[in-house]
Amino acid sequence: ASAALQSLLESCLTPELVASLQRQSSSSSSSSGGALAPLTSLVAAVASGLGARYQEEWDLALPVAGALFEALAAGGAAAAAAPAVAALGQICAGLADEAEQMDTAAVDEEGNAPGKSSSSINYANAAEAALGVAVR
């Protein structure tokens, strides 16, 4: 499902469509009566997939977020991705905090000095990979 959604975003969310949706979002924001504009709804859906509730599925959500970021940037609407980028920032901050806690608890072979655990290195690598999705 993730690959299909990623492919759909890459195929259908053309720069022209993004620009059109962005114009629609800005013109209908005051007259929408509380309903979210399509572009805002799309970003909110992707951002929700990056929430803590779906942590076990982040490996599926991150490529979708990357495809969305690329499409929005290509259409001149990178700022519209702010809610999803904020969710990605929370993932990175959480992973960094967890890695730091693991480093503090880790002990080297001699048992007397803190060291880097392999798990904390994995979390740090995951955080870097997640951040790479947002900036590529």
Side-chain angles (χ1 to χ4, degrees), residues 21-132:
L21 290 172
Q22 188 175 27
R23 284 190 301 274
Q24 181 182 354
S25 292
S26 53
S27 68
S28 69
S29 62
S30 60
S31 63
S32 66
L36 292 177
L39 190 58
T40 304
S41 295
L42 180 59
V43 172
V46 171
S48 72
L50 297 172
R53 179 178 183 184
Y54 301 109
Q55 181 175 353
E56 296 298 319
E57 305 305 327
W58 284 344
D59 60 327
L60 300 173
L62 287 170
V64 173
L68 177 66
F69 296 157
E70 289 178 6
L72 292 177
V85 172
L88 188 58
Q90 290 176 339
I91 290 173
C92 292
L95 291 172
D97 288 345
E98 194 163 339
E100 185 176 322
Q101 290 171 3
M102 294 173 102
D103 280 348
T104 302
V107 176
D108 69 2
E109 303 86 44
E110 296 168 7
N112 58 10
K116 290 245 185 229
S117 71
S118 63
S119 295
S120 68
I121 292 169
N122 289 341
Y123 278 112
N125 290 342
E128 284 181 26
L131 189 55

